[in-house]
């Protein structure tokens, strides 16, 4: 069902009159109203109506409960004030509220009598983030899933939605990953040394301190690496080259340090080669072999900062120094670090993963099989998110017996563990209809499935023992118990995934990876700034989550998080150091809520300029929940070369809106985006553009006029239900792994209504989502 078109004030009045007669019965809309609707809707610019794809008379001529999908879309359009269209007479706010309230009440009553939770897929594969977190929580092993598995495609804004398929190629990647992870977790002896190489992106400026490395150093990288066994490991460092294969910035003698867990294990002297252009001899000396205990360690490679370098840095007009032609490096930089080993292994060591796996150890051969059963059943219970059956044990135990006969007890456990990690019960969320449930019936999720939904929602990982224990006793679904568990989980560090996974996708922060502004127009951009953009927004979102603040603080805030690089970009003084810290903002500050973050402003811009269209579309879709439909296939894009370059961006878009097919959507998007024009394509504040004052006058879908980001924030805060409802939709999409449908409307409204009394606090919203019909229930086939 497509969106309904905009309609006139008389239809709203007639609709209100009709539904107030008997909101429970919801009679058909009267014939007089149908005439008004036909008269005024077919005179608007909605292309769906013009194409005749929607029979409006048929819609208003039936009971609301017979066409709930369409009426939910009416509510969305009216609630966002996109009905009637801008320029047409409109009712007052009281009439708007009464009409929406009565129609929503009728639909909510119908939903309460006949709940429709929708249906999630029976099999939904773990995405890369979930897989990485599950390995961490199951085995205590930190892995980089991006190096092991391909990227997941996103749908409805998140990459945990369309992940049902497992192609033969992808299965092969999972098998390889399982073997590598099992070997790493067990700490099994290796036939030959292995290795990993960590490379620093080419556009990273390495002239200042890197957070996590010792003070008084500059550049380099802090590497988090898991060493499989006790033994000797080779560390090889390679320096960055320019296009001529010469080491960049090698203008003197420099001290380079290799650090293991904050202790310097080797200091190197880097100097120009004795033989001109023999730069390989410089790298060849940057290698050592050192003993390392098995387990997780932090490896740092960095240069000692010199006073001369500090002085040179202060002379630079820009913060970047990585481009050979525009802003060459002032001193040498790290290109990559390789870690190879083990050599001369002395044993598996005492690692977190071994402690988690070997919950039982045999002292004689006769104890090996019982110990293996105890080890594997413990692992499988957590991996499969449920109690383990005898049938579950058969396959892993068969692998154990075969490998044990050849290579011993630990080799048997390693092989069995690999089989667990490629089991469908680990790789997939599995939600099967319980026995005895009638077809096409809404049923409550069993507690074990509820535990899995809950943990992957809040932690993006598997349930812990406490959740599984409660679910096994069918106690988790009890309201007080469930609320207590939600609060416990939100207080756990693993809840940070709501920022790094949910918010990262909701706010388009992942698009920062592909952000590449025109270097001629924005010469002061590098990867340091790119990562600072992301870190500010992640830390800001985390502060709302950890402080259990109102989610409305996301829109308007008197603080943010900065380091020296980002503060300089924003023009904020008094911030020193690479570490991020919470910074209280002055009342007249240009920074604060999400709409003032460089991350949001840059990913909604082009490489050469701002885009009011993209920014307006982002706000309508991500903050207001009312994105315009995709453009028609026959409408051309805005052609830069055919429009005078002397025109401002606003004047160019005005020419684009002259096309009636474009106007209906651009009249909604563009005015909202114009209000952010004081921020350039990298989020810097500007009062002038091309020597002329910036025009930040814009508007809102309700037809109101506003100017600048302050007015936009105030307008959003005047209608908190729009933002909170959209935020709830995004949370529910992420939690369920499916798109939101019209029948979810009553649940969304209930979440908003339930949390309003608590000022829309973060925990209240999460609890309301968890208690909603779509989250706790499911439709049978």
């Amino acid at each position: 069902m497509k969106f309904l078109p905009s309609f006139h004030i008389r239809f709203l009045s007639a609709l209100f009159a009709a539904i107030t007669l008997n909101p429970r019965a919801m009679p058909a809309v009267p014939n007089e109203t149908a005439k008004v609707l036909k008269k005024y809707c077919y005179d608007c610019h909605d292309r769906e109506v013009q194409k005749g794809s929607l029979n409006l008379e048929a819609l208003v001529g039936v009971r609301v409960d017979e066409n709930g999908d369409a009426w939910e879309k009416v509510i969305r359009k009216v609630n966002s004030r996109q009905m009637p269209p801008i320029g047409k007479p409109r009712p007052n706010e009281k009439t708007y509220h009464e009409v929406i309230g009565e129609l929503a009440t009728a639909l909510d009553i119908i939903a309460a009598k006949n709940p429709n939770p929708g249906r999630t897929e029976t099999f939904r594969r773990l995405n890369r983030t979930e897989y990485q977190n599950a390995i961490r929580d199951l085995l205590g092993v930190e892995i980089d899933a991006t190096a092991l598995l391909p990227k997941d495609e996103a749908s409805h804004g998140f990459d945990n939605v369309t992940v049902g398929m497992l192609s033969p190629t992808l299965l092969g990647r999972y098998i390889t990953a399982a073997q590598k992870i099992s070997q790493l977790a067990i700490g099994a002896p290796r036939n030959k040394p292995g290795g990993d190489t960590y490379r620093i992106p080419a556009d990273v400026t390495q002239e200042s301190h890197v957070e996590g490395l010792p003070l008084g150093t500059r550049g380099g990288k802090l590497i988090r690496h898991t060493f499989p066994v006790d033994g000797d490991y080779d560390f090889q460092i390679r320096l960055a080259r320019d296009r001529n294969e010469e080491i960049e910035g090698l203008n003197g003698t420099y001290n380079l340090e290799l650090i293991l867990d904050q202790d310097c294990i080797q200091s190197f002297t880097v100097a120009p080669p004795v033989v001109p252009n023999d730069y390989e001899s410089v790298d060849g000396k940057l290698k050592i072999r050192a003993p390392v205990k098995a387990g997780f360690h932090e490896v740092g490679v960095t240069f000692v900062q010199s006073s001369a370098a500090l002085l040179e840095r202060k002379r630079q007009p820009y913060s970047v120094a990585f481009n050979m032609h525009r802003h060459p490096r002032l001193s040498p930089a790290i290109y990559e670090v390789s870690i190879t080993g083990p050599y001369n292994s002395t044993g598996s060591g005492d690692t977190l993963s071994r402690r988690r796996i070997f919950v039982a150890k045999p002292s004689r051969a006769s104890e090996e099989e019982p110990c293996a059963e105890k080890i594997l059943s413990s692992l499988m219970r957590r991996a499969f998110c449920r109690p383990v059956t005898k049938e579950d044990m058969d396959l892993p135990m068969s692998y154990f017996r075969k490998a044990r006969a050849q290579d011993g007890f630990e080799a048997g456990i390693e092989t069995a563990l690999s089989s667990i990690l490629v089991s469908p019960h680990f790789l997939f969320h599995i939600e099967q209809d319980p026995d005895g449930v009638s077809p096409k019936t809404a049923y409550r999720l069993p507690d074990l499935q509820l535990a899995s939904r809950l943990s992957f929602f809040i932690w993006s990982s598997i349930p812990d023992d406490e959740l599984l224990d409660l679910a096994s006793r069918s106690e988790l679904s009890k309201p007080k118990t469930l609320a207590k568990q939600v609060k416990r989980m939100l207080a756990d560090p693993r809840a940070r995934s709501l920022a790094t996974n949910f918010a990262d996708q909701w706010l388009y922060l992942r698009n920062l990876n592909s952000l590449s502004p025109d270097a001629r127009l924005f010469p002061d951009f590098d990867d340091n700034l790119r990562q600072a953009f992301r870190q500010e927004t992640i830390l800001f979102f985390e502060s709302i989550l950890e402080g259990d603040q109102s989610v409305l603080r996301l829109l308007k805030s008197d603080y943010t998080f900065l380091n020296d690089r980002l503060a300089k970009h924003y023009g904020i003084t008094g911030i020193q150091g690479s570490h991020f810290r919470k910074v209280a903002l002055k009342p007249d500050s240009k920074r604060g809520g999400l709409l003032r973050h460089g991350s949001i402003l840059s990913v909604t811009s082009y490489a050469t300029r701002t885009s009011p269209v993209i920014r307006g579309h982002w706000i309508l879709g991500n903050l207001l929940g009312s994105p315009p439909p995709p453009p028609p296939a026959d409408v051309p894009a805005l052609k830069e070369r055919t429009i005078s370059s002397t025109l401002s961006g606003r004047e160019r878009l005005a020419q684009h809106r002259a096309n009636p097919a474009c106007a209906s959507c651009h009249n909604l998007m563009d005015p909202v985006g114009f209000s952010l024009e004081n921020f350039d394509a990298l989020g810097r504040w500007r009062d002038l553009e091309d020597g002329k004052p910036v025009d930040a006058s814009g508007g809102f879908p309700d037809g109101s006029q506003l100017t600048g980001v302050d007015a936009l924030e105030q307008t959003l805060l005047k209608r908190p239900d729009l933002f909170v409802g959209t935020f709830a939709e995004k949370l529910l999409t992420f939690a369920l792994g499916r798109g939101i449908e019209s029948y979810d409307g009553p649940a969304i409204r209930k979440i908003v209504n339930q949390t309003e009394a608590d000022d829309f606090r973060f925990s209240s919203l999460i609890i309301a989502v968890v208690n909603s019909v779509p989250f706790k229930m499911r439709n049978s086939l």
Side-chain angles (χ1 to χ4, degrees):
M1 177 64 69
K2 297 184 178 182
F3 275 98
L4 292 176
S6 304
F7 57 90
H8 195 271
I9 181 174
R10 285 186 236 171
F11 170 64
L12 287 175
S13 301
L15 174 63
F16 173 62
I19 62 179
T20 50
L21 294 174
N22 189 352
R24 293 178 179 272
M26 278 305 299
V29 179
N31 291 332
E32 185 62 30
T33 302
K35 293 178 182 178
V36 173
L37 179 60
K38 180 177 180 180
K39 177 179 179 181
Y40 289 99
C41 284
Y42 279 69
D43 190 37
C44 72
H45 295 293
D46 191 294
R47 63 176 182 271
E48 292 175 349
V49 175
Q50 292 170 346
K51 291 180 179 179
S53 60
L54 186 62
N55 188 334
L56 300 175
E57 286 192 83
L59 173 64
V60 298
V62 299
R63 295 166 54 93
V64 169
D65 57 354
E66 294 177 6
N67 212 334
D69 289 352
W71 287 114
E72 284 289 352
K73 294 170 184 177
V74 169
I75 289 179
R76 184 181 291 267
K77 285 285 190 179
V78 175
N79 197 36
S80 64
R81 304 300 187 264
Q82 294 183 24
M83 288 182 172
I86 295 174
K88 296 287 186 178
R90 287 172 171 260
N92 56 36
E93 280 299 304
K94 180 182 179 183
T95 303
Y96 263 120
H97 285 298
E98 289 175 339
V99 169
I100 295 169
E102 292 291 345
L103 186 54
T105 297
L107 290 168
D108 293 347
I109 291 173
I110 295 169
K113 291 181 178 179
N114 302 285
N116 182 5
R119 181 175 175 83
T120 54
E121 295 292 335
T122 300
F123 292 92
R124 187 160 53 87
R125 178 177 50 81
L126 301 187
N127 61 26
R128 286 197 306 192
T129 301
E130 293 169 337
Y131 183 85
Q132 178 171 306
N133 292 345
I135 293 296
R136 176 201 65 200
D137 295 340
L138 177 66
L139 302 174
V141 174
E142 297 284 348
I143 65 166
D144 179 12
T146 62
L148 298 171
L149 301 171
K151 180 181 177 181
D152 300 298
E153 295 298 324
S155 179
H156 300 279
F158 299 99
D159 63 4
N160 65 339
V161 176
T162 54
V163 284
M165 301 300 293
L166 186 61
S167 66
T169 301
L170 184 56
L171 177 59
R173 296 285 291 271
Y174 274 111
I175 292 174
T176 301
Q179 292 170 342
K180 291 182 178 179
I181 293 167
S182 299
Q183 186 179 46
L184 186 63
I186 296 293
R190 301 192 176 201
N191 295 327
K192 59 181 180 179
D196 291 288
T197 297
Y198 299 90
R199 189 166 294 171
I200 299 178
D203 60 344
V204 172
T205 299
Q206 299 188 44
E207 304 298 334
S208 58
H209 177 256
V210 174
E211 187 172 4
L213 291 174
L215 296 176
T217 63
R218 65 156 188 89
K221 186 177 182 66
L222 183 65
I223 301 165
R224 293 169 173 84
H225 184 79
T226 300
F227 294 81
V229 297
D230 295 347
D232 295 337
Y233 292 84
D234 283 347
F235 298 85
Q236 173 72 63
I237 304 165
R238 183 173 171 82
L239 302 179
R241 262 78 164 169
D242 60 22
R243 294 180 181 177
N244 299 323
E245 285 301 310
E246 298 179 359
I247 294 177
E248 297 178 279
L250 189 55
N251 305 312
T253 301
Y254 305 87
N255 291 324
L256 175 65
E257 292 187 345
L258 176 64
I259 300 166
L260 182 66
D261 298 330
Q262 298 300 313
D263 292 326
C264 180
I265 61 173
Q266 184 68 38
S267 181
F268 302 95
T269 298
V270 178
V274 175
V275 178
N277 299 322
D278 183 19
Y279 292 103
E280 291 299 323
S281 65
V282 178
D283 283 334
K285 299 175 182 178
L286 305 182
K287 181 177 181 179
I288 71 162
R289 178 172 294 184
V292 183
K293 291 290 186 181
F296 176 81
H297 295 275
E298 290 186 337
V299 178
V301 180
T302 185
F303 287 93
V304 176
Q305 182 72 281
S306 65
S307 57
L310 286 170
L311 181 62
E312 186 68 23
R313 178 77 258 153
K314 292 178 180 178
R315 298 195 187 114
Q316 296 300 307
Y318 297 114
S319 298
V320 304
F322 66 86
N323 186 295
M324 174 181 174
H325 298 291
R326 292 192 178 90
H327 308 293
R329 296 191 188 275
L330 307 176
S331 44
I334 308 298
Y335 172 61
E336 66 182 20
V337 180
S338 297
I339 302 175
T340 309
Y343 301 93
N344 306 317
S345 175
T346 57
S348 299
D350 181 23
T351 62
L352 175 61
S353 59
R354 286 182 62 85
R355 291 194 296 271
R356 286 196 179 178
I357 293 170
F358 292 106
V359 294
K361 295 182 179 180
S363 57
R364 59 179 66 91
S366 61
E367 296 177 356
E368 289 185 351
E369 185 127 343
C371 284
E373 290 180 349
K374 184 174 181 180
I375 289 170
L376 297 178
S377 62
S378 175
L379 289 170
M380 292 167 69
R381 177 177 183 267
R382 287 178 284 143
F384 296 175
C385 309
R386 59 172 174 78
V388 179
T389 65
K390 182 182 180 302
E391 289 73 18
D392 293 327
M393 294 290 298
D394 289 343
L395 184 61
M397 285 300 296
S398 68
Y399 281 114
F400 164 77
R401 295 184 187 106
K402 184 176 181 180
R404 179 191 60 175
Q406 294 179 351
D407 300 307
F409 177 78
E410 291 196 1
I413 296 297
E414 178 188 335
T415 304
L417 176 58
S418 295
S419 73
I420 293 171
L421 297 183
V422 294
S423 168
H425 297 285
F426 174 67
L427 293 180
F428 286 85
H429 306 277
I430 301 177
E431 294 184 342
Q432 293 180 308
D433 297 340
D435 295 335
V437 174
S438 301
K440 301 188 183 305
T441 301
Y443 67 88
R444 290 193 172 274
L445 285 180
D447 276 38
L448 287 167
Q449 292 183 18
L450 180 62
S452 183
R453 272 198 187 183
L454 190 60
S455 64
F456 279 99
F457 171 34
I458 299 178
W459 290 342
S460 294
S461 185
I462 56 178
D464 62 3
D465 286 333
E466 185 169 337
L467 275 178
L468 289 177
D469 289 342
L470 288 169
S472 297
R473 300 194 300 267
S474 299
E475 295 179 7
L476 180 60
S477 56
K478 295 179 180 178
K480 290 184 178 180
T481 302
L482 187 58
K484 182 179 178 181
Q485 287 300 308
V486 169
K487 291 182 178 179
R488 177 184 73 86
M489 295 175 70
L490 289 174
D492 190 285
R494 285 171 287 186
R496 188 172 187 265
S497 67
L498 285 170
T500 58
N501 193 16
F502 165 74
D504 201 41
Q505 298 183 76
W506 167 45
L507 300 175
Y508 291 12
L509 301 186
R510 292 188 178 181
N511 292 3
L512 286 169
N513 294 333
S514 58
L515 179 66
S516 185
D518 189 308
R520 293 167 297 179
L521 299 176
F522 304 100
D524 206 24
F525 180 82
D526 56 8
D527 189 68
N528 308 55
L529 186 59
R530 179 188 289 116
Q531 300 308 323
F533 280 162
R534 182 176 186 272
Q535 188 73 346
E536 176 193 21
T537 305
I538 290 295
L539 290 174
F540 178 63
F541 187 91
E542 278 185 345
S543 72
I544 305 296
L545 165 63
E546 294 174 358
D548 198 17
Q549 302 180 58
S550 170
V551 297
L552 296 178
R553 291 293 298 272
L554 292 168
L555 297 177
K556 188 173 182 62
S557 173
D558 57 1
Y559 70 90
T560 191
F561 291 82
L562 303 172
N563 67 352
D564 55 355
R565 180 73 173 87
L566 188 57
K568 180 180 179 181
H569 181 74
Y570 287 163
I572 297 175
T573 59
I575 306 298
Q576 301 294 329
S578 61
H579 67 285
F580 275 80
R581 80 296 311 259
K582 184 177 179 180
V583 177
L585 301 171
K586 297 179 181 179
D588 61 347
S589 175
K590 309 303 182 185
R591 302 299 152 184
L594 290 175
L595 293 175
R596 302 168 185 260
H597 282 212
S599 58
I600 306 299
L601 295 162
S602 58
V603 299
T604 54
S605 295
Y606 290 122
T608 57
R609 60 175 174 82
T610 62
S611 173
V613 176
I614 298 177
R615 288 177 174 178
H617 188 281
W618 186 91
I619 292 171
L620 290 177
N622 283 35
L623 304 186
L624 299 177
S626 54
D634 56 348
V635 174
L638 179 61
K639 295 182 179 180
E640 300 282 353
R641 296 182 181 178
T642 62
I643 297 178
S644 173
S645 60
T646 62
L647 296 179
S648 67
R650 183 182 291 266
E651 291 169 329
R652 295 181 186 188
L653 287 173
Q655 291 196 8
H656 197 54
R657 291 196 303 275
N659 185 335
C662 302
S664 60
C665 292
H666 281 270
N667 284 339
L668 296 174
M669 295 185 294
D670 297 2
V672 179
F674 284 138
S675 63
L676 298 178
E677 277 295 277
N678 279 119
F679 296 102
D680 72 5
L682 285 184
R684 294 174 297 192
W685 183 266
R686 59 182 182 178
D687 292 308
L688 299 175
E689 181 184 15
D690 298 329
K692 300 178 182 179
V694 171
D695 183 0
S697 59
F700 210 61
D702 62 2
S704 61
Q705 302 298 305
L706 52 89
T707 300
V709 64
D710 288 319
L712 177 58
E713 288 175 341
Q714 292 300 327
T715 302
L716 289 169
L717 290 171
K718 287 179 182 178
R719 296 288 312 281
D721 58 302
L722 289 179
F723 172 70
V724 176
T726 303
F727 187 67
E729 285 185 10
K730 300 296 183 180
L731 284 173
L732 199 55
T733 300
F734 180 75
L736 298 177
R738 67 164 175 83
I740 295 300
E741 303 293 345
S742 57
Y743 51 73
D744 296 313
I748 300 295
R749 288 190 290 273
K750 187 174 182 179
I751 291 170
V752 176
N753 293 335
Q754 286 179 336
T755 56
E756 182 177 10
D758 200 24
D759 194 27
F760 306 115
R761 297 174 78 88
F762 205 109
S763 64
S764 298
L765 271 164
I766 298 295
I767 291 173
V769 168
V770 169
N771 282 314
S772 67
V773 166
F775 190 89
K776 296 178 69 174
M777 301 181 70
R778 185 170 182 259
N779 282 337
S780 61
L781 285 177

